Amino acid sequence: MKNLIRIGLLASAALVLSALPARAADYRAEYRLSTVLPESFPWGAGGLRWAELIKERTGGRINVKMYPGTSLVGGDQTKEFTALRQGTIDLAVGSTINWSPQVRELNLFALPFLMPDYKAIDALTKGEVGRDLFAVLATKDVVPLAWGENGFREISNSKRDIHVPDDLKGLKIRVVGSPLFVETISALGGNPVQMSWADAQPAMATNAVDGQENPLSVFAAAKLHTVGQKHVTLWGYVADPLIFVVSRQVWDSWSPEDQRAVREAAEQAAAEEVALARKGISGNDDEMLKAIAANGVSVVRLTEAEKQAFQKATRPVFDKWVKLVGAPLVTKAEAAVAKR
């Protein structure tokens, strides 16, 4: 009888334990989170916030350490997504641009002049297009959780103001390792030079390149005016949404309760990161623009007519890449932008 009671108690205890969230001892001591930029930029701040929220919401069961500068892949941004799939990286706040070589559909956001404003970005990431892209990513060994934002990419250089496509002729412009960016700058008469962000600032300081294209938050945080970037043109030719993801293998090792906690943490961190990325440059808030100009930088705001000239010059590139991204997805995106 006593043995039966003991067996019953042990069985009850096992059921209780199985219903509890997985213990910290069952998980790794540390999970590796990759970002391109450190916490001094909105991108890195979003990654760090995610790590903090994960620890808080899981009661310390999941501990995440952020590795900025894509240091887990030797600083090569274009290798980050492959490393996620292979298990070198556990979590990431990644760029749609950097992952586009492995996920062709993500080139959607780099189609020149597809998105004219922040409402257009939101129409895509918060709508059916965003869900379609998450479905694509979910087939590639990762679990996408939330959309962040690196922002509209504006162009700067050390030589002159840019008002028309001809102003780009002959300028050596640093671009990320994406064929679409190379073709877009080439179509405008510029000389695109592919290099990592780690190499970009030294190249600008030594005049190995004349300019670059990046969100204003990056321009300001990196103090690019100190490396000769004295001319900025606001053209908003492409935007770079970020994606909060977890490796599928890691995700499947967590309890449902912790999966939910990590997802909620991603959603909160992403919302805070987007707000930070737009601070000082959107709506009636132009404090960052004023600060950039105060450093002796000439800031050019293109008129709609001037933007159309750039759009016309890059249209052959747009049309070519529609086929590579997928015409149905692009059509859906254009309709969402038009309805915004």
Side-chain angles (χ1 to χ4, degrees):
M1 187 67 176
K2 289 182 180 179
N3 285 337
L4 288 174
I5 292 173
R6 281 183 67 191
I7 291 171
L9 289 172
L10 287 171
S12 297
L15 285 171
V16 170
L17 288 172
S18 67
L20 292 172
R23 294 169 298 170
D26 299 325
Y27 291 171
R28 297 183 199 167
E30 175 189 295
Y31 293 90
R32 297 156 295 186
L33 166 63
S34 176
T35 63
V36 171
L37 297 176
E39 62 185 279
S40 53
F41 297 78
W43 188 339
L48 191 63
R49 180 63 171 147
W50 189 23
E52 292 171 348
L53 288 169
I54 288 173
K55 184 174 183 178
E56 176 186 310
R57 288 171 182 257
T58 63
R61 287 185 297 277
I62 298 177
N63 291 286
V64 176
K65 181 178 179 181
M66 189 174 82
Y67 289 81
T70 42
S71 55
L72 295 172
V73 286
D76 189 339
Q77 300 157 231
T78 60
K79 291 181 179 178
E80 185 178 57
F81 189 76
T82 299
L84 263 169
R85 302 188 70 181
Q86 293 175 341
T88 305
I89 295 170
D90 303 315
L91 306 88
V93 180
S95 160
T96 55
I97 296 169
N98 293 337
W99 294 356
S100 64
Q102 290 81 37
V103 188
R104 62 178 176 82
E105 291 87 352
L106 294 180
N107 284 292
L108 173 76
F109 298 106
L111 291 174
F113 302 99
L114 170 66
M115 296 165 288
D117 51 36
Y118 287 111
K119 288 184 179 179
I121 300 176
D122 292 341
L124 300 185
T125 59
K126 296 181 179 180
E128 189 176 352
V129 169
R131 292 190 290 273
D132 287 350
L133 289 170
F134 272 17
V136 171
L137 286 167
T139 68
K140 299 182 183 295
D141 307 315
V142 301
V143 179
L145 301 176
W147 288 99
E149 184 171 294
N150 196 24
F152 279 106
R153 300 179 77 89
E154 315 294 6
I155 192 163
S156 72
N157 76 95
S158 60
K159 302 293 186 183
R160 54 183 175 266
D161 286 348
I162 294 174
H163 289 272
V164 297
D166 278 352
D167 291 334
L168 263 166
K169 285 188 175 177
L171 292 182
K172 293 174 288 185
I173 305 296
R174 177 265 174 182
V175 295
V176 295
S178 164
L180 178 47
F181 281 74
V182 170
E183 292 179 27
T184 299
I185 297 299
S186 295
L188 295 169
N191 180 14
V193 182
Q194 293 187 41
M195 63 176 62
S196 70
W197 179 243
D199 295 330
Q201 287 172 272
M204 284 181 269
T206 59
N207 295 315
V209 296
D210 301 311
Q212 59 87 54
E213 45 75 60
N214 249 316
L216 291 176
S217 61
V218 174
F219 186 99
K223 296 180 172 59
L224 294 188
H225 66 279
T226 64
V227 289
Q229 298 299 291
K230 295 296 186 178
H231 306 270
V232 171
T233 293
L234 308 182
W235 64 344
Y237 82 125
V238 301
D240 183 19
L242 304 176
I243 308 175
F244 288 63
V245 305
V246 179
S247 157
R248 169 62 70 180
Q249 183 179 6
V250 169
W251 181 262
D252 288 344
S253 72
W254 292 337
S255 70
E257 292 85 355
D258 285 338
Q259 288 175 353
R260 182 167 58 253
V262 172
R263 182 184 297 277
E264 290 172 352
E267 290 169 349
Q268 181 178 337
E272 293 177 10
E273 190 277 333
V274 169
L276 189 59
R278 296 183 184 184
K279 185 178 181 182
I281 55 175
S282 62
N284 295 322
D285 182 5
D286 62 353
E287 288 304 309
M288 186 182 294
L289 284 171
K290 289 178 180 177
I292 290 172
N295 288 319
V297 178
S298 173
V299 179
V300 174
R301 298 174 184 265
L302 294 184
T303 66
E304 284 306 311
E306 287 174 330
K307 280 187 180 182
Q308 286 174 13
F310 285 94
Q311 188 173 12
K312 181 179 179 181
T314 56
R315 189 67 200 190
V317 177
F318 187 108
D319 292 340
K320 172 188 173 181
W321 279 81
V322 165
K323 300 171 186 176
L324 298 173
V325 173
L329 180 63
V330 175
T331 298
K332 186 181 292 186
E334 289 178 317
V337 169
K339 291 178 181 178
R340 73 189 185 285

